[in-house]
Every structure is written in C-alpha cells, then in structure tokens.
Amino acid sequence: MKRFLKYLKPYIKECILAPLFKMLEASFELLVPLVIADLVDKGIGAGDERRIMIDGLLLFVLAVVGLLAAVTAQYFSAKAAVRFGQSVRNDLFRHIENLSYSNIDSIGSSTLITRMTSDVNQMQTGVNMILRLFLRSPFIVFGAIFMAYRVSHEYLSEFTSVVGILFIIVFAIILSSIPLIRKVQQRLDTVTLHTRENIKGARVIRAFNREDEEEEEFIGSVKKLTRMQLIVGRISALLNPLTFAFINVGIVVVLYSGGMDVYRGKLETGDVVALIEYMSMILVELIKLANFIITVSRMFAGAKRVAVIFDTKPDQVFPEEQKKNTKAEASAGSGNDVNEIRFENVSMRYKGAADDALKGISFTARKGETIGIIGGTGSGKSTLVNLIPRFYDATEGSITIDGKDIDSYSKNEIRGKVSVVPQKAALFRGSIADNMKWGKPDAKDEEIDNAIDMSMSREFVSTKEGEKNFVISEGARNLSGGQKQRLTIARALVKDSGILILDDSSSALDFATDAKLRKNLEAMKKDHVIFVVSQRASTIMKADRILVLEKGNLVGSGTHEELIKSSDIYREICLSQMSEEEVRS
C-alpha cells in the first residue's frame, strides 16, 4: 500500500483536517456522559431547574458542534478518498493502455475490468474509513476508559477486562475473515469473466441455443461466490452478538456494583449513568473498529491486486520520442513517407504457445504495391500484419521500414506510419465525423468526405439523420456489419499513413461493394504500401504480389497467375471459391 501513498500527497490538507475534526467530535462525545451525570445528580436529583436548563443547553451545544465537526470531517475524508480513487484509476488506465497485446492476453480483460472497478473502489472506501476512524475509534475506547477512571477508579479492572476480551473476539474474527475475503475477490474475477462473455456473446449463445448451458454455468459460478461470501458473512455475523453479549455482561456488572455503591453512598447516581454510557461507547467503537479493520483488509487485498497490474511491465520497449508530439502531429507527420518494408527470416511465437505462429518469413514490399495475404484459418495472416505496427514483436528475425529496424522507431513514429483496419470492426460512441478523426484529429471535412466516398460508405451515410453528424451508439449497434467495416476503412483512409493494412476488413461486404472498394484502393496505391488480408481469393487476385501462408510458413509468393501454376495450396483455395473459368480469367 506504500506505493499508493503518493496519490494522497496532493490532498495532505484534507488528510490532516479529516482526522482532526473527527478527534474534535470524539472529544465532545466523551464530555457528554459527564454533563449527563451532572444533570442527573445536581439538576434532577436536587430539583434545580436552572442547572437542568444549563446542562440541557450544554448537551445541545455539544451535539451541534459534534455534528458540524463530523460533517466537516466526512467532507474532507470523502474528498481525499474520491480524488485518491480518481488518481489511481487514471494511472491504472494509462498503464493498461501502455501494455502490449501480449500483456493483455496474459492478464485477461475481465481481470483488468475488476481491478479498475471493484478493487479501486475497495481502496477508495478503505482510505475514507482510515481518515475517519483510524484515530477516532482507539481514541474513544481509551478515552472512555480514562474518563471512567476519572469518575471512579474502582471500576478500571471491569473496563479493562471487558475491553481485553472484546479485542480478542474482534481480532480472532478479523484474522479468520481476511484470507476468505481475498478468495472472494478472486472468485469475483471468474463471475465477471462469465458475465462479460455472456453479454458480449449473447447473439452467438442464442443462435446455438446455449442459454440453458450458459445459465447453468453462470449460476454455478455465482453459487461458489455466494458460498464463500456466506462463510465470510457468518464469521463476521458473530461479531455483533458476541461483543454485545460481553459488553452487556460488563454493563450488568457496572450496574450492579454501581447500584450497591450508590446505596452505600460511595457513588452518585449520575456517576453510574456515566459509567454505563462509557461502557456503551466502548461497545459501539469496537464494532466500528472491527468493520474498519475488515474494510481496510479488503483495501489491502485490492491494493495488492492493483499493484500486480502496475508491476506488469510492458514487454515491448519503444525508444523515447524525439520531441513531445501531439497525436495530431504524430499522424500528420507520418504522411506518405514509406518506401519499403522488409521481413527477414521473421518468426513469432505467442506467449505460452507450444509452437511458432510464424516461421522464417522473408519478403519485401514497396511503395505502390498491394500485397495480398491468404491462407487457411490459423495460418498466421493476422499475426504477420500485426507485427508491422508492433502490436506484437517478432521472436526471431528483423522487420525494417526504409532500412530502419522497427524496434528503433518510437511508438508515435511507428504507429503514425501505419493505418490499420482490424479484423473486428470497432467504432466508438459519438458522431461518424468524430470516429473519422481518430487517426487525424485535425482532419478537414473534405478529407472525411473523400474517405467516406472511397470506402463506399456514402450510400448509407447520406441516408442517416445528420449524415456525418449521425451519432453511433455504444458498440455501433445501430449499424450493420458491412456499414461498420466500411466506416473503419474510411477512418484508416482519413489517417492517410504510408502503410495501409486491411485485415480481412471486407468479409461482411457483398461482392459488388467489395469489387468497387478494391478499385478505389487500386487508384490510391501509388502513394502507399497496402496489405490486404482476406479469406476471399477474389479480394486479393489483382494484388501485385500474393503471400500464401500455411501453418505459419510462407509456402507461396507471386502474382495470381504465377501462383495458380506454382502453388497447389493457392490453387485449391481459389477452386474452392470460384469456377475454373473465373480462376483463369
């Protein structure tokens, strides 16, 4: 938890004032039994109305001042805790954004979501509780003992005995709960994973009529979480009855002994009332202290889990930027400045995999060329193009752009040189124009219009309300699959980088639209290096060079006509999709 203290440094004032006002409130609270004792003995007992009025007014003042102190303390503690949570969450998100694809694959997106939400919330709640109760509860407990000693030193042993037994009970329950609380948090990760998968894959689940199986699996996961929570709850539930039982025994002892002392004339009636009040204060504060420790335990468990993410270092290292470029400068500065991309004996293996996804790939792509990449499922097509912008790093060999190894480019430089249309179309909530500006924030309307026309998006954009200002919903649910793919292509065209990668980005398009799109891309290729990954042979037939992949190996390279003659695998793919006449044409 020490590493997170830096997030509280900007709020030192709040961290000091919050416990200070809580201590002020506690001090007023400790004075209340003494005023009540005076009210009972010298006011009610003596029939002194003036004393009753004075003590009553004093109690009211103590209550009002205590309330103001408590509200002020709550304000400062809440402000510090919320700002702390905000800072941790911002830095955590920033750190996750810098992790590589491999890091995210290893950790799991459901785990990252839980860390960002539940665990940071636990830390935030823990900070709030520490500022409010860390000093207040012990101060009240020991202050009540001291004040009781001031009232009558003969009852010190009863108070210390009760407090000692209560401390043993409280800490026994806490120590047995903490390991279980950590397991509950881990089980919560599993439930989050199931929830995310079911929400994200709802259509697939329904299409395969798997609702019952998924529901059964989810319920089973929730039942395990519930069982663990019930165990923790049952142990924690012992706290209140056990502490109440012992404190009430202590109150009975004080009440009996005090009554006898009043009868003998050793004590006043008000003193007995004050002693009972102090005993009750101890009970309340020990219960608060127990809840405080459990909350803080959850905070430490959450902090440990968040620290694991912070300790995960990105497994990709980028050189430092030459200057502090803005995103707009990075994208605009990249331009059409790529002349050659060279792969030399490149191999790549995913973390934890048993075999290489790519094996000894070598080829050269130049400006003005369209490189088609085709192969069976799992042949390494997407893996190959993901190496160019360094989404993943090659495990062997080298990749150079204009003779310079891609490892020597800064992140802004390498990502600025590449426009990627991913396999899965991803658009974000906002207008179409806003989405178009992701790669180039300062893009003009003419550039956006041109990209929309080039990507064959005009036919549906013009029918939308507001056209470019049409608001895309979360997950782009108000667009079809083909519309999403065309807009992601348009977004890449607006960026206008030297390298354009289309990773199976026309799979949802009909053949006519796909053909028109290919024709438009052909017209712009002279200033770009274009990589087209596709399962369709018709999509890459006209490419200047086609790379044929099979189980991570480059088994063919050449034009369509050359490969039809030299590559059995390519010829088989083409004949499975087209007639002999279409293949030869």
Side-chain angles (χ1 to χ4, degrees), residues 415-442:
R415 300 283 162 83
K417 290 180 179 293
V418 185
S419 296
V420 181
V421 183
Q423 201 168 28
K424 183 178 179 182
L427 295 168
F428 299 88
R429 181 172 176 79
S431 69
I432 291 176
D434 290 338
N435 274 270
M436 294 301 100
K437 293 179 179 180
W438 267 62
K440 192 175 183 181
D442 58 350

PDB file of all heavy atoms in Angstrom, residues 415-442:
ATOM      1  N   ARG A 415       3.469   3.888 -35.143  1.00  0.00           N
ATOM      2  CA  ARG A 415       2.013   3.838 -35.272  1.00  0.00           C
ATOM      3  C   ARG A 415       1.523   4.911 -36.242  1.00  0.00           C
ATOM      4  O   ARG A 415       0.491   4.744 -36.885  1.00  0.00           O
ATOM      5  CB  ARG A 415       1.367   4.020 -33.893  1.00  0.00           C
ATOM      6  CG  ARG A 415       1.782   2.949 -32.881  1.00  0.00           C
ATOM      7  CD  ARG A 415       1.086   1.634 -33.096  1.00  0.00           C
ATOM      8  NE  ARG A 415       1.765   0.524 -32.437  1.00  0.00           N
ATOM      9  CZ  ARG A 415       1.633   0.195 -31.158  1.00  0.00           C
ATOM     10  NH1 ARG A 415       0.853   0.910 -30.367  1.00  0.00           N
ATOM     11  NH2 ARG A 415       2.279  -0.857 -30.668  1.00  0.00           N
ATOM     12  N   GLY A 416       2.288   6.017 -36.351  1.00  0.00           N
ATOM     13  CA  GLY A 416       1.917   7.059 -37.295  1.00  0.00           C
ATOM     14  C   GLY A 416       2.111   6.630 -38.741  1.00  0.00           C
ATOM     15  O   GLY A 416       1.458   7.142 -39.645  1.00  0.00           O
ATOM     16  N   LYS A 417       3.020   5.682 -38.979  1.00  0.00           N
ATOM     17  CA  LYS A 417       3.287   5.223 -40.333  1.00  0.00           C
ATOM     18  C   LYS A 417       2.276   4.194 -40.820  1.00  0.00           C
ATOM     19  O   LYS A 417       2.278   3.845 -42.000  1.00  0.00           O
ATOM     20  CB  LYS A 417       4.693   4.607 -40.404  1.00  0.00           C
ATOM     21  CG  LYS A 417       5.817   5.617 -40.281  1.00  0.00           C
ATOM     22  CD  LYS A 417       7.160   4.933 -40.352  1.00  0.00           C
ATOM     23  CE  LYS A 417       8.283   5.957 -40.247  1.00  0.00           C
ATOM     24  NZ  LYS A 417       8.336   6.858 -41.407  1.00  0.00           N
ATOM     25  N   VAL A 418       1.447   3.691 -39.913  1.00  0.00           N
ATOM     26  CA  VAL A 418       0.561   2.577 -40.259  1.00  0.00           C
ATOM     27  C   VAL A 418      -0.895   2.946 -39.972  1.00  0.00           C
ATOM     28  O   VAL A 418      -1.224   3.439 -38.894  1.00  0.00           O
ATOM     29  CB  VAL A 418       0.930   1.305 -39.459  1.00  0.00           C
ATOM     30  CG1 VAL A 418       0.076   0.124 -39.916  1.00  0.00           C
ATOM     31  CG2 VAL A 418       2.413   0.979 -39.613  1.00  0.00           C
ATOM     32  N   SER A 419      -1.765   2.683 -40.938  1.00  0.00           N
ATOM     33  CA  SER A 419      -3.217   2.750 -40.730  1.00  0.00           C
ATOM     34  C   SER A 419      -3.744   1.322 -40.768  1.00  0.00           C
ATOM     35  O   SER A 419      -3.494   0.605 -41.741  1.00  0.00           O
ATOM     36  CB  SER A 419      -3.898   3.576 -41.823  1.00  0.00           C
ATOM     37  OG  SER A 419      -3.481   4.915 -41.778  1.00  0.00           O
ATOM     38  N   VAL A 420      -4.443   0.935 -39.711  1.00  0.00           N
ATOM     39  CA  VAL A 420      -4.895  -0.450 -39.601  1.00  0.00           C
ATOM     40  C   VAL A 420      -6.411  -0.506 -39.579  1.00  0.00           C
ATOM     41  O   VAL A 420      -7.069   0.229 -38.849  1.00  0.00           O
ATOM     42  CB  VAL A 420      -4.343  -1.112 -38.312  1.00  0.00           C
ATOM     43  CG1 VAL A 420      -4.801  -2.566 -38.216  1.00  0.00           C
ATOM     44  CG2 VAL A 420      -2.822  -1.042 -38.287  1.00  0.00           C
ATOM     45  N   VAL A 421      -6.958  -1.403 -40.393  1.00  0.00           N
ATOM     46  CA  VAL A 421      -8.379  -1.734 -40.311  1.00  0.00           C
ATOM     47  C   VAL A 421      -8.443  -3.124 -39.707  1.00  0.00           C
ATOM     48  O   VAL A 421      -8.119  -4.109 -40.376  1.00  0.00           O
ATOM     49  CB  VAL A 421      -9.055  -1.714 -41.695  1.00  0.00           C
ATOM     50  CG1 VAL A 421     -10.547  -2.003 -41.553  1.00  0.00           C
ATOM     51  CG2 VAL A 421      -8.826  -0.390 -42.390  1.00  0.00           C
ATOM     52  N   PRO A 422      -8.811  -3.239 -38.424  1.00  0.00           N
ATOM     53  CA  PRO A 422      -8.720  -4.542 -37.745  1.00  0.00           C
ATOM     54  C   PRO A 422      -9.741  -5.544 -38.248  1.00  0.00           C
ATOM     55  O   PRO A 422     -10.727  -5.197 -38.907  1.00  0.00           O
ATOM     56  CB  PRO A 422      -8.975  -4.184 -36.278  1.00  0.00           C
ATOM     57  CG  PRO A 422      -9.771  -2.923 -36.325  1.00  0.00           C
ATOM     58  CD  PRO A 422      -9.316  -2.185 -37.549  1.00  0.00           C
ATOM     59  N   GLN A 423      -9.475  -6.803 -37.900  1.00  0.00           N
ATOM     60  CA  GLN A 423     -10.352  -7.896 -38.320  1.00  0.00           C
ATOM     61  C   GLN A 423     -11.763  -7.697 -37.784  1.00  0.00           C
ATOM     62  O   GLN A 423     -12.744  -7.930 -38.479  1.00  0.00           O
ATOM     63  CB  GLN A 423      -9.770  -9.220 -37.801  1.00  0.00           C
ATOM     64  CG  GLN A 423     -10.242 -10.439 -38.530  1.00  0.00           C
ATOM     65  CD  GLN A 423      -9.394 -11.651 -38.161  1.00  0.00           C
ATOM     66  OE1 GLN A 423      -8.836 -11.728 -37.065  1.00  0.00           O
ATOM     67  NE2 GLN A 423      -9.301 -12.603 -39.059  1.00  0.00           N
ATOM     68  N   LYS A 424     -11.848  -7.233 -36.549  1.00  0.00           N
ATOM     69  CA  LYS A 424     -13.149  -6.958 -35.952  1.00  0.00           C
ATOM     70  C   LYS A 424     -13.379  -5.455 -35.975  1.00  0.00           C
ATOM     71  O   LYS A 424     -12.652  -4.696 -35.335  1.00  0.00           O
ATOM     72  CB  LYS A 424     -13.211  -7.483 -34.518  1.00  0.00           C
ATOM     73  CG  LYS A 424     -14.570  -7.292 -33.881  1.00  0.00           C
ATOM     74  CD  LYS A 424     -14.602  -7.872 -32.488  1.00  0.00           C
ATOM     75  CE  LYS A 424     -15.972  -7.651 -31.850  1.00  0.00           C
ATOM     76  NZ  LYS A 424     -16.018  -8.154 -30.467  1.00  0.00           N
ATOM     77  N   ALA A 425     -14.395  -5.027 -36.717  1.00  0.00           N
ATOM     78  CA  ALA A 425     -14.680  -3.598 -36.831  1.00  0.00           C
ATOM     79  C   ALA A 425     -15.051  -3.018 -35.471  1.00  0.00           C
ATOM     80  O   ALA A 425     -15.907  -3.558 -34.775  1.00  0.00           O
ATOM     81  CB  ALA A 425     -15.822  -3.373 -37.821  1.00  0.00           C
ATOM     82  N   ALA A 426     -14.374  -1.938 -35.083  1.00  0.00           N
ATOM     83  CA  ALA A 426     -14.627  -1.299 -33.785  1.00  0.00           C
ATOM     84  C   ALA A 426     -14.839   0.196 -33.993  1.00  0.00           C
ATOM     85  O   ALA A 426     -13.940   0.902 -34.441  1.00  0.00           O
ATOM     86  CB  ALA A 426     -13.459  -1.551 -32.831  1.00  0.00           C
ATOM     87  N   LEU A 427     -16.054   0.646 -33.684  1.00  0.00           N
ATOM     88  CA  LEU A 427     -16.365   2.061 -33.693  1.00  0.00           C
ATOM     89  C   LEU A 427     -16.790   2.480 -32.302  1.00  0.00           C
ATOM     90  O   LEU A 427     -17.204   1.633 -31.501  1.00  0.00           O
ATOM     91  CB  LEU A 427     -17.486   2.355 -34.705  1.00  0.00           C
ATOM     92  CG  LEU A 427     -17.145   2.096 -36.187  1.00  0.00           C
ATOM     93  CD1 LEU A 427     -18.400   2.138 -37.034  1.00  0.00           C
ATOM     94  CD2 LEU A 427     -16.120   3.104 -36.700  1.00  0.00           C
ATOM     95  N   PHE A 428     -16.702   3.769 -32.010  1.00  0.00           N
ATOM     96  CA  PHE A 428     -16.944   4.248 -30.660  1.00  0.00           C
ATOM     97  C   PHE A 428     -18.135   5.199 -30.627  1.00  0.00           C
ATOM     98  O   PHE A 428     -18.473   5.823 -31.645  1.00  0.00           O
ATOM     99  CB  PHE A 428     -15.696   4.933 -30.112  1.00  0.00           C
ATOM    100  CG  PHE A 428     -14.515   4.002 -30.043  1.00  0.00           C
ATOM    101  CD1 PHE A 428     -13.673   3.856 -31.134  1.00  0.00           C
ATOM    102  CD2 PHE A 428     -14.268   3.253 -28.914  1.00  0.00           C
ATOM    103  CE1 PHE A 428     -12.595   2.998 -31.086  1.00  0.00           C
ATOM    104  CE2 PHE A 428     -13.195   2.391 -28.852  1.00  0.00           C
ATOM    105  CZ  PHE A 428     -12.354   2.255 -29.945  1.00  0.00           C
ATOM    106  N   ARG A 429     -18.728   5.302 -29.464  1.00  0.00           N
ATOM    107  CA  ARG A 429     -19.894   6.171 -29.315  1.00  0.00           C
ATOM    108  C   ARG A 429     -19.510   7.608 -29.668  1.00  0.00           C
ATOM    109  O   ARG A 429     -18.518   8.141 -29.196  1.00  0.00           O
ATOM    110  CB  ARG A 429     -20.423   6.094 -27.881  1.00  0.00           C
ATOM    111  CG  ARG A 429     -21.655   6.977 -27.669  1.00  0.00           C
ATOM    112  CD  ARG A 429     -22.282   6.740 -26.312  1.00  0.00           C
ATOM    113  NE  ARG A 429     -23.383   7.655 -26.082  1.00  0.00           N
ATOM    114  CZ  ARG A 429     -24.602   7.513 -26.581  1.00  0.00           C
ATOM    115  NH1 ARG A 429     -24.889   6.467 -27.323  1.00  0.00           N
ATOM    116  NH2 ARG A 429     -25.553   8.385 -26.330  1.00  0.00           N
ATOM    117  N   GLY A 430     -20.322   8.220 -30.503  1.00  0.00           N
ATOM    118  CA  GLY A 430     -20.061   9.570 -30.983  1.00  0.00           C
ATOM    119  C   GLY A 430     -20.511   9.687 -32.425  1.00  0.00           C
ATOM    120  O   GLY A 430     -21.033   8.733 -33.016  1.00  0.00           O
ATOM    121  N   SER A 431     -20.293  10.826 -33.010  1.00  0.00           N
ATOM    122  CA  SER A 431     -20.712  11.015 -34.397  1.00  0.00           C
ATOM    123  C   SER A 431     -19.782  10.280 -35.349  1.00  0.00           C
ATOM    124  O   SER A 431     -18.661   9.905 -34.995  1.00  0.00           O
ATOM    125  CB  SER A 431     -20.730  12.508 -34.732  1.00  0.00           C
ATOM    126  OG  SER A 431     -19.411  13.022 -34.770  1.00  0.00           O
ATOM    127  N   ILE A 432     -20.248  10.103 -36.580  1.00  0.00           N
ATOM    128  CA  ILE A 432     -19.404   9.489 -37.613  1.00  0.00           C
ATOM    129  C   ILE A 432     -18.148  10.334 -37.817  1.00  0.00           C
ATOM    130  O   ILE A 432     -17.032   9.802 -37.916  1.00  0.00           O
ATOM    131  CB  ILE A 432     -20.189   9.345 -38.935  1.00  0.00           C
ATOM    132  CG1 ILE A 432     -21.292   8.282 -38.779  1.00  0.00           C
ATOM    133  CG2 ILE A 432     -19.255   8.986 -40.087  1.00  0.00           C
ATOM    134  CD1 ILE A 432     -22.194   8.134 -39.986  1.00  0.00           C
ATOM    135  N   ALA A 433     -18.322  11.661 -37.849  1.00  0.00           N
ATOM    136  CA  ALA A 433     -17.174  12.553 -38.039  1.00  0.00           C
ATOM    137  C   ALA A 433     -16.153  12.401 -36.919  1.00  0.00           C
ATOM    138  O   ALA A 433     -14.939  12.390 -37.169  1.00  0.00           O
ATOM    139  CB  ALA A 433     -17.653  14.005 -38.123  1.00  0.00           C
ATOM    140  N   ASP A 434     -16.627  12.263 -35.681  1.00  0.00           N
ATOM    141  CA  ASP A 434     -15.711  12.076 -34.546  1.00  0.00           C
ATOM    142  C   ASP A 434     -14.898  10.797 -34.714  1.00  0.00           C
ATOM    143  O   ASP A 434     -13.695  10.762 -34.432  1.00  0.00           O
ATOM    144  CB  ASP A 434     -16.493  12.024 -33.231  1.00  0.00           C
ATOM    145  CG  ASP A 434     -17.085  13.369 -32.862  1.00  0.00           C
ATOM    146  OD1 ASP A 434     -16.576  14.392 -33.348  1.00  0.00           O
ATOM    147  OD2 ASP A 434     -18.069  13.391 -32.079  1.00  0.00           O
ATOM    148  N   ASN A 435     -15.555   9.736 -35.156  1.00  0.00           N
ATOM    149  CA  ASN A 435     -14.853   8.469 -35.366  1.00  0.00           C
ATOM    150  C   ASN A 435     -13.836   8.580 -36.495  1.00  0.00           C
ATOM    151  O   ASN A 435     -12.763   7.964 -36.433  1.00  0.00           O
ATOM    152  CB  ASN A 435     -15.853   7.356 -35.674  1.00  0.00           C
ATOM    153  CG  ASN A 435     -16.403   6.708 -34.410  1.00  0.00           C
ATOM    154  OD1 ASN A 435     -15.851   5.743 -33.894  1.00  0.00           O
ATOM    155  ND2 ASN A 435     -17.502   7.257 -33.899  1.00  0.00           N
ATOM    156  N   MET A 436     -14.154   9.355 -37.514  1.00  0.00           N
ATOM    157  CA  MET A 436     -13.227   9.519 -38.639  1.00  0.00           C
ATOM    158  C   MET A 436     -11.936  10.231 -38.222  1.00  0.00           C
ATOM    159  O   MET A 436     -10.891  10.073 -38.852  1.00  0.00           O
ATOM    160  CB  MET A 436     -13.907  10.305 -39.772  1.00  0.00           C
ATOM    161  CG  MET A 436     -15.076   9.590 -40.442  1.00  0.00           C
ATOM    162  SD  MET A 436     -14.659   7.998 -41.177  1.00  0.00           S
ATOM    163  CE  MET A 436     -15.247   6.875 -39.903  1.00  0.00           C
ATOM    164  N   LYS A 437     -12.015  11.033 -37.156  1.00  0.00           N
ATOM    165  CA  LYS A 437     -10.869  11.848 -36.744  1.00  0.00           C
ATOM    166  C   LYS A 437      -9.946  11.146 -35.747  1.00  0.00           C
ATOM    167  O   LYS A 437      -9.020  11.773 -35.230  1.00  0.00           O
ATOM    168  CB  LYS A 437     -11.361  13.168 -36.139  1.00  0.00           C
ATOM    169  CG  LYS A 437     -12.036  14.080 -37.163  1.00  0.00           C
ATOM    170  CD  LYS A 437     -12.523  15.376 -36.511  1.00  0.00           C
ATOM    171  CE  LYS A 437     -13.176  16.297 -37.531  1.00  0.00           C
ATOM    172  NZ  LYS A 437     -13.659  17.557 -36.930  1.00  0.00           N
ATOM    173  N   TRP A 438     -10.194   9.875 -35.489  1.00  0.00           N
ATOM    174  CA  TRP A 438      -9.362   9.176 -34.505  1.00  0.00           C
ATOM    175  C   TRP A 438      -7.888   9.156 -34.920  1.00  0.00           C
ATOM    176  O   TRP A 438      -7.010   9.316 -34.088  1.00  0.00           O
ATOM    177  CB  TRP A 438      -9.885   7.746 -34.312  1.00  0.00           C
ATOM    178  CG  TRP A 438     -10.841   7.653 -33.174  1.00  0.00           C
ATOM    179  CD1 TRP A 438     -12.031   8.294 -33.063  1.00  0.00           C
ATOM    180  CD2 TRP A 438     -10.664   6.913 -31.973  1.00  0.00           C
ATOM    181  NE1 TRP A 438     -12.632   7.975 -31.856  1.00  0.00           N
ATOM    182  CE2 TRP A 438     -11.810   7.118 -31.171  1.00  0.00           C
ATOM    183  CE3 TRP A 438      -9.689   6.058 -31.488  1.00  0.00           C
ATOM    184  CZ2 TRP A 438     -11.981   6.538 -29.922  1.00  0.00           C
ATOM    185  CZ3 TRP A 438      -9.855   5.472 -30.244  1.00  0.00           C
ATOM    186  CH2 TRP A 438     -10.987   5.722 -29.476  1.00  0.00           C
ATOM    187  N   GLY A 439      -7.633   8.944 -36.184  1.00  0.00           N
ATOM    188  CA  GLY A 439      -6.240   8.892 -36.632  1.00  0.00           C
ATOM    189  C   GLY A 439      -5.674  10.251 -36.981  1.00  0.00           C
ATOM    190  O   GLY A 439      -4.464  10.426 -37.033  1.00  0.00           O
ATOM    191  N   LYS A 440      -6.571  11.218 -37.206  1.00  0.00           N
ATOM    192  CA  LYS A 440      -6.131  12.560 -37.588  1.00  0.00           C
ATOM    193  C   LYS A 440      -7.114  13.575 -37.012  1.00  0.00           C
ATOM    194  O   LYS A 440      -8.087  13.953 -37.665  1.00  0.00           O
ATOM    195  CB  LYS A 440      -6.058  12.668 -39.114  1.00  0.00           C
ATOM    196  CG  LYS A 440      -5.354  13.913 -39.622  1.00  0.00           C
ATOM    197  CD  LYS A 440      -5.216  13.861 -41.130  1.00  0.00           C
ATOM    198  CE  LYS A 440      -4.448  15.076 -41.650  1.00  0.00           C
ATOM    199  NZ  LYS A 440      -4.334  15.051 -43.129  1.00  0.00           N
ATOM    200  N   PRO A 441      -6.882  14.026 -35.778  1.00  0.00           N
ATOM    201  CA  PRO A 441      -7.843  14.913 -35.100  1.00  0.00           C
ATOM    202  C   PRO A 441      -8.140  16.215 -35.842  1.00  0.00           C
ATOM    203  O   PRO A 441      -9.202  16.793 -35.659  1.00  0.00           O
ATOM    204  CB  PRO A 441      -7.154  15.195 -33.751  1.00  0.00           C
ATOM    205  CG  PRO A 441      -6.220  14.049 -33.549  1.00  0.00           C
ATOM    206  CD  PRO A 441      -5.753  13.665 -34.904  1.00  0.00           C
ATOM    207  N   ASP A 442      -7.192  16.668 -36.664  1.00  0.00           N
ATOM    208  CA  ASP A 442      -7.406  17.936 -37.364  1.00  0.00           C
ATOM    209  C   ASP A 442      -7.887  17.728 -38.795  1.00  0.00           C
ATOM    210  O   ASP A 442      -7.768  18.630 -39.645  1.00  0.00           O
ATOM    211  CB  ASP A 442      -6.127  18.773 -37.361  1.00  0.00           C
ATOM    212  CG  ASP A 442      -4.955  18.039 -38.008  1.00  0.00           C
ATOM    213  OD1 ASP A 442      -5.085  16.821 -38.276  1.00  0.00           O
ATOM    214  OD2 ASP A 442      -3.907  18.672 -38.255  1.00  0.00           O
TER     215      ASP A 442
END
